[in-house]
Every structure is written in C-alpha cells, then in structure tokens.
Amino acid sequence: MKFEIRQLDCYMYDDEWTQNTSYNFGTMETRANNEKQAFTRYLANKHGITFKHNRTRIEFDGDCYIIIDRKTKEPLFIAIPLY
C-alpha cells in the first residue's frame, strides 16, 4: 500500500479543529500488516520525528490514518492512501 504523508496545520474554531493547510512530507510504501507502526517508523526514520509515549494516538477514519495529540485532540500528521 502506498500513502502520501502530510503534516497538518490546524486551528480551533467553534470547539473543533479545522484544517488550515498541510505540508507534503513525501510518500510511504509499505507491505506491513501494521500500517500504524509503519507510519510512525517512516516519520522517525526519514524525518527524525518521534513522539513521547502516551502523548499521541493514531486514529483510522476508514480511509486515512491520523496522528492526534491526546491532550488537545489536535491532528498533527495524516497518511492518505494513494490508489
């Protein structure tokens, strides 16, 4: 499976996060069964981005994987499948 990785820039509006813009970080291709782990490893290995334990979570909305800050619920990164 191939994914486009983007960093999200969001702001709080009416008590929910609204996407302002996003920045392309590249594409990730994986055959792993655990795509969540492949997503975080791609960020760590290719861009040096790591997260503290229990500081973020990864949600799957049926199409995309989104890394979210646990405390503020702000979306940080998204993996969009390329079909």
Side-chain angles (χ1 to χ4, degrees):
M1 190 73 158
K2 196 171 186 180
F3 293 90
E4 178 181 7
I5 308 300
R6 293 189 153 283
Q7 180 182 12
L8 300 175
D9 179 28
C10 300
Y11 62 93
M12 183 65 80
Y13 181 74
D14 286 338
D15 293 332
E16 67 179 48
W17 288 101
T18 304
Q19 183 176 329
N20 185 26
T21 189
S22 66
Y23 305 98
N24 189 352
F25 264 43
T27 57
M28 170 189 79
E29 192 166 344
T30 183
R31 292 184 193 153
N33 291 334
N34 189 346
E35 293 171 337
K36 290 180 181 183
Q37 186 178 25
F39 183 18
T40 56
R41 285 192 179 187
Y42 170 82
L43 289 173
N45 293 337
K46 296 290 184 182
H47 301 287
I49 298 170
T50 58
F51 304 100
K52 290 185 179 180
H53 185 66
N54 285 334
R55 182 66 183 162
T56 60
R57 71 171 187 251
I58 299 177
E59 290 185 356
F60 182 67
D61 67 0
D63 198 27
C64 302
Y65 290 97
I66 305 167
I67 297 178
I68 297 175
D69 185 298
R70 283 185 187 265
K71 188 175 183 180
T72 64
K73 309 287 191 267
E74 178 183 6
L76 303 173
F77 293 92
I78 189 167
I80 305 166
L82 300 173
Y83 296 105

